[in-house]
Amino acid sequence: MKFIQTEFKDLYVIEPNLLKDNRGWFMRSFDIQLFKNNIPNFNGNWKQVNQSYNNKKGTFRGLHYQKPPFQEMKLIRCISGAVIDYALDLRESSDTFLKVFQLELSSENKKM
């Protein structure tokens, strides 16, 4: 896995390694040791695993805001089709306060 630090503190793009052969491909989507080695303060204590499905193209889903101590680490992945994932930094003390990050996540590019 390749962990790419964005300009936003604690926001990473993760690109998995595909192992391909004549049957297709295999990828690891989570490995606690790789996450701990590449994301500072990662503890692997996931609170939930969710999956969603949208019937219509252009559906807007989810606007999440959590303040300590209720914040959660999220891993976003698209397994079919494509989505545009946005992050807006609302941390007033952050260098990227009010900046927006966006990334296309798709079944094709496998980014997380």
Side-chain angles (χ1 to χ4, degrees):
M1 282 182 195
K2 185 175 179 184
F3 291 77
I4 303 163
Q5 170 71 62
T6 68
E7 70 173 308
F8 285 45
K9 183 181 184 296
D10 300 324
L11 181 62
Y12 294 82
V13 175
I14 303 168
E15 296 179 350
N17 297 326
L18 293 183
L19 303 173
K20 298 179 183 180
D21 63 21
N22 61 341
R23 299 167 292 180
W25 56 265
F26 173 86
M27 72 175 231
R28 184 172 297 176
S29 54
F30 178 71
D31 179 312
I32 194 164
Q33 202 55 54
L34 286 175
F35 275 62
K36 282 183 177 182
N37 291 346
N38 289 280
I39 299 176
N41 303 316
F42 180 81
N43 65 13
N45 187 15
W46 297 104
K47 303 290 185 198
Q48 300 177 35
V49 175
N50 303 318
Q51 185 171 333
S52 67
Y53 170 79
N54 298 314
N55 287 324
K56 290 183 166 185
K57 183 177 181 177
T59 299
F60 180 84
R61 181 180 292 274
L63 182 57
H64 307 274
Y65 176 73
Q66 292 113 5
K67 290 178 74 171
F70 304 106
Q71 76 274 18
E72 296 176 347
M73 183 176 290
K74 297 187 178 358
L75 177 65
I76 313 294
R77 187 173 145 215
C78 181
I79 61 172
S80 178
V83 300
I84 303 295
D85 190 41
Y86 294 92
L88 168 63
D89 191 348
L90 296 175
R91 300 169 294 186
E92 291 180 357
S93 62
S94 172
D95 291 341
T96 52
F97 178 60
L98 295 182
K99 288 189 179 181
V100 176
F101 176 85
Q102 72 178 56
L103 177 68
E104 181 177 281
L105 306 174
S106 70
S107 55
E108 200 169 296
N109 70 25
K110 315 245 183 320
K111 292 180 181 180
M112 300 180 274

